């Protein structure tokens, strides 16, 4: 499963294979709940430990290994739940539903959840990716789990019981293998049938880079802001000499204004100079203290600074405050407890979640453009991008800052999420990162352009604007919630009926004896 994820390219097919192998480990012989939970734990450790070392890049191995262990506990929970629900007919279906349900739980609890490593994020080069516009990221995870489990079930029937090939279970297993890939191929060829093109806008994503690696990347006052101003002035000079097209909008990343222009007049003056030179609005990330004095906290904000008549406005014309703030980074839950385990605990910020719309309206030369925003951590959550689409976003902006994770795989894993969001929403996506990877993504999830890491860059393209809502956006979280309820209901039903359940010994119960031996249950 780890090998299916970026930066490993074009090995998306390892995801269904990995879950098929997990299904085999949990169904061969007469496994108990305890043995299935153990299989899930081993699977989780083998996946999350190599996936998440970026967590400890500058703070040591303890947070990395602790988080990987907690995530593995969720896959152990999956093993226990699936062991019970798979006592019902057609085990691959219950295996897949249980997988989706536990992914939903770990993406929501505790502290808002940790959606990193969701199965759908492995599919940026895969045949399952187009399905995201219809069934969303949870649905893709379920299809992958069902495909892997069905393949194993079919192989077992082929090898062990040829007459059983004529049974309905074999037919369902075969359909689970073929239909998703066929539907994905059709959607890939035809594009999203639920959205329509509404125009184009020329966008430049500016990657200014940071002065140093590490947690203190912004400790040199104004260095990050100056880098982005410098790159924007370079872009403006290229426009003036005819080597670059005039943009409609310039996008800087999260934390690009390391000194907030709402506090520091010199920062505001530099941003006005950049807007005037670019002759286009600039959206950029900064932090803003919450009114109320010391202790009120701050917001992680995106400001839109417009221009009229070739000159920058006096003040920002739009603001978005990040809705989903990152625990243990932007804020520290249970601060007095967690500071006992790490000297870096107090380095966490005191950011507060924002409220209100997740879109900004950008005045462009050919009419207003509605830009959706999902800042950094938010792109991992389905609801962030979906909210902006429901509010009329024509493309999605993902400002991010990955400088505190060094030269790790983190930025590539996060870029994969943005590519999945493009397909899920049927929108172009602009990823602007302080240090990389920045990217322009088309609505089908393919890369129009991308940058390297820890290098300045300018990415420009005519982005397709779209309107309408995909089925994934229209239905939102409701299908996933129904899966959670169905899985919980099946789990409780089996417990109540006591169908072949013995957590400690794996003994067969009376109903299972009847199924296997044709005997009357006592």
């Amino acid at each position: 499963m780890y090998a299916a994820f970026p930066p490993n390219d074009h090995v998306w097919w390892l995801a269904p294979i990995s879950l098929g192998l997990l299904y085999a480990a949990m169904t061969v012989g007469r496994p108990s709940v305890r043995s299935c939970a153990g299989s899930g734990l081993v699977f989780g450790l083998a996946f999350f430990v190599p996936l998440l070392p970026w967590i400890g890049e500058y703070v040591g191995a303890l947070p990395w290994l602790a988080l990987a262990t907690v995530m593995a506990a969720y896959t152990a929970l999956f093993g226990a739940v699936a062991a019970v629900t798979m006592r019902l007919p057609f085990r691959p279906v219950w295996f897949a539903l249980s997988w989706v349900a536990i992914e939903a739980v770990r993406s929501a609890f505790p502290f808002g959840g940790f959606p990193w490593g969701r199965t759908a994020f492995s599919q940026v080069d895969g045949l399952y990716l187009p399905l995201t516009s219809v069934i969303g990221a949870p649905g893709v995870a379920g299809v992958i789990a069902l495909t892997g489990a069905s393949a194993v079930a079919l192989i077992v029937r082929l090898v062990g019981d040829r007459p059983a090939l004529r049974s309905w279970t074999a037919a369902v297993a075969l359909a689970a293998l073929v239909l998703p890939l066929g539907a994905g191929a059709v959607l890939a060829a035809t594009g999203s049938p639920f959205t329509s093109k509404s125009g184009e806008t020329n966008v430049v994503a500016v990657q200014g880079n940071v002065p140093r690696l590490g947690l203190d990347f912004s400790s040199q006052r104004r260095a990050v802001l100056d880098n982005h101003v410098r790159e924007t002035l370079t872009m403006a000079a290229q426009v003036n000499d005819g080597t670059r097209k005039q943009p409609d909008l310039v996008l800087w990343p999260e934390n690009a204004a390391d000194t907030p222009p709402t506090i520091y007049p010199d920062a505001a003056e530099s941003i006005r100079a950049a807007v005037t030179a670019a002759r286009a609005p600039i959206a950029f990330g900064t932090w803003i203290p919450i009114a109320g004095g010391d202790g009120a906290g701050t917001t992680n904000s995106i400001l839109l600074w417009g221009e009229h008549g070739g000159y920058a406005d006096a003040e920002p014309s739009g603001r978005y405050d990040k809705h989903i703030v990152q625990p243990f980074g932007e804020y520290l839950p249970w601060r007095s407890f967690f500071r006992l385990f790490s000297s870096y605990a107090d380095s966490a910020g005191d950011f507060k979640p924002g409220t209100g719309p997740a879109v900004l309206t950008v005045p462009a030369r050919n009419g207003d453009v509605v830009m959706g925003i999902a800042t950094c951590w938010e792109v991992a959550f389905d609801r962030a991008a979906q909210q902006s689409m429901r509010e009329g976003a024509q493309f999605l902006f993902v400002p991010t800052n990955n400088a505190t994770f060094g030269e790790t795989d983190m930025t590539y894993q996060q870029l994969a999420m943005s590519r999945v969001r493009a397909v899920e929403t049927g929108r172009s996506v602009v990823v602007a990162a302080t240090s990389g990877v920045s990217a322009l993504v088309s609505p089908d999830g393919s890369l129009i352009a991308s940058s390297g890491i820890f290098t300045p860059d300018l990415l420009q393209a005519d982005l397709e604007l779209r309107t309408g809502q995909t089925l994934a956006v229209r239905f939102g979280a409701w299908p996933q919630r129904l899966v959670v309820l169905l899985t919980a209901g099946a789990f409780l039903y089996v417990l109540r009926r006591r169908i072949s359940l013995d957590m400690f010994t794996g003994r067969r119960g009376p109903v299972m004896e009847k199924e296997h031996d044709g005997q009357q249950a006592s």
Side-chain angles (χ1 to χ4, degrees):
M1 178 65 92
Y2 164 69
F5 275 75
N8 306 310
D9 294 328
H10 311 301
V11 284
W12 56 271
W13 41 268
L14 288 175
I17 290 176
S18 69
L19 291 178
L21 293 173
L22 178 59
Y23 175 82
M26 292 172 57
T27 55
V28 170
R30 298 174 182 174
S32 65
V33 172
R34 184 169 61 178
S35 69
C36 289
S39 295
L41 179 66
V42 172
F43 182 97
L45 289 172
F47 173 52
F48 286 109
V49 169
L51 187 78
L52 301 177
W54 50 269
I55 293 288
E57 180 70 4
Y58 296 116
V59 297
L62 180 60
W64 157 39
L65 296 176
L67 179 60
T69 302
V70 170
M71 292 299 103
Y74 280 101
T75 53
L77 175 62
F78 156 74
V81 170
V84 175
T85 60
M86 285 193 298
R87 305 301 184 187
L88 295 171
F90 201 70
R91 290 188 289 187
V93 168
W94 295 105
F95 177 89
L97 292 176
S98 299
W99 182 259
V100 173
I102 299 304
E103 270 203 354
V105 172
R106 78 167 175 87
S107 298
F109 177 84
F111 312 126
F114 187 77
W116 217 272
R118 291 172 63 189
T119 310
F121 298 151
S122 67
Q123 296 301 299
V124 291
D125 295 313
L127 296 180
Y128 295 105
L129 180 63
L131 297 175
T132 315
S133 66
V134 179
I135 57 178
V140 170
V143 165
I144 291 172
L146 180 61
T147 300
S150 297
V152 170
L154 195 59
I155 290 170
V156 168
R157 289 187 173 275
L158 279 168
V159 173
D161 187 6
R162 289 189 176 276
L165 288 175
R166 294 189 294 269
S167 70
W168 71 272
T169 53
V172 171
L174 188 61
L177 288 171
V178 175
L179 291 180
L181 294 176
V186 170
L187 287 171
T190 61
S192 173
F194 313 108
T195 62
S196 58
K197 184 175 179 179
S198 59
E200 289 185 345
T201 191
N202 190 272
V203 172
V204 173
V206 178
Q207 179 174 299
N209 205 9
V210 295
R212 61 177 63 82
L213 303 183
L215 299 178
D216 62 345
F217 75 96
S218 62
S219 60
Q220 183 179 337
R221 185 182 184 275
R222 275 196 51 163
V224 181
L225 173 59
D226 288 345
N227 285 353
H228 287 83
V229 170
R230 184 184 307 112
E231 290 303 307
T232 303
L233 296 179
T234 298
M235 177 213 72
Q238 293 169 350
V239 171
N240 290 335
D241 64 23
T243 59
R244 183 181 292 274
K245 187 176 180 178
Q246 170 65 46
D248 299 313
L249 174 64
V250 177
L251 299 175
W252 292 356
E254 179 188 32
N255 302 137
D258 50 356
T259 50
T262 56
I263 300 175
Y264 299 99
D266 61 327
E269 185 60 34
S270 291
I271 293 169
R272 278 194 291 266
V275 172
T276 298
R279 289 178 291 168
I282 296 178
F284 59 91
T286 190
W287 56 272
I288 300 177
I290 296 174
D294 293 341
T298 56
T299 60
N300 186 344
S301 301
I302 302 299
L303 297 181
L304 176 66
W305 207 302
E307 62 88 32
H308 290 87
Y311 293 95
D313 296 342
E315 301 289 341
S317 56
R319 172 176 170 177
Y320 166 75
D321 296 333
K322 187 176 182 180
H323 291 175
I324 309 172
V325 293
Q326 180 186 2
F328 304 98
E330 292 175 311
Y331 79 98
L332 184 66
W334 303 353
R335 188 177 292 267
S336 60
F337 173 76
F338 283 111
R339 64 158 50 110
L340 299 175
F341 299 94
S342 175
S343 60
Y344 292 100
D346 287 327
S347 298
D350 188 24
F351 286 86
K352 307 299 183 183
T355 57
V359 297
L360 291 176
T361 300
V362 181
R365 287 170 175 77
N366 298 321
D368 290 349
V369 173
V370 183
M371 175 177 69
I373 304 175
T375 303
C376 196
W377 174 242
E378 291 184 306
V379 76
F381 294 84
D382 299 341
R383 67 182 185 274
Q386 291 175 1
Q387 177 186 347
S388 65
M389 297 305 116
R390 296 190 187 101
E391 293 170 354
Q394 294 171 287
F395 78 97
L396 182 66
F397 175 37
V398 182
T400 184
N401 171 33
N402 302 327
T404 53
F405 301 109
E407 297 177 353
T408 65
D409 294 346
M410 181 271 183
T411 186
Y412 303 103
Q413 295 168 6
Q414 188 182 56
L415 176 58
M417 300 175 193
S418 295
R419 295 176 66 182
V420 169
R421 297 302 174 209
V423 179
E424 176 191 47
T425 61
R427 299 296 195 275
S428 302
V429 177
V430 179
V431 181
T434 50
S435 55
V437 172
S438 299
L440 305 178
V441 185
S442 67
D444 65 1
S446 61
L447 291 176
I448 300 170
S450 63
S451 72
I453 60 173
F454 294 102
T455 181
D457 210 341
L458 296 167
L459 305 178
Q460 184 171 15
D462 290 317
L463 280 192
E464 185 177 310
L465 303 176
R466 299 188 72 85
T467 56
Q469 294 181 8
T470 64
L471 288 182
V473 170
R474 195 165 298 168
F475 290 116
W478 282 107
Q480 182 176 247
R481 291 170 183 163
L482 291 174
V483 168
V484 172
L485 290 174
L486 182 60
T487 304
F491 181 83
L492 295 174
Y493 171 79
V494 174
L495 286 183
R496 184 176 181 184
R497 292 290 301 270
R498 300 179 66 182
I499 300 177
S500 95
L501 180 64
D502 188 316
M503 182 176 296
F504 299 103
T505 67
R507 289 196 308 265
R508 295 183 297 171
V511 178
M512 190 175 185
E513 293 286 355
K514 180 179 178 181
E515 290 176 349
H516 282 271
D517 302 327
Q519 298 174 354
Q520 178 67 37
S522 59

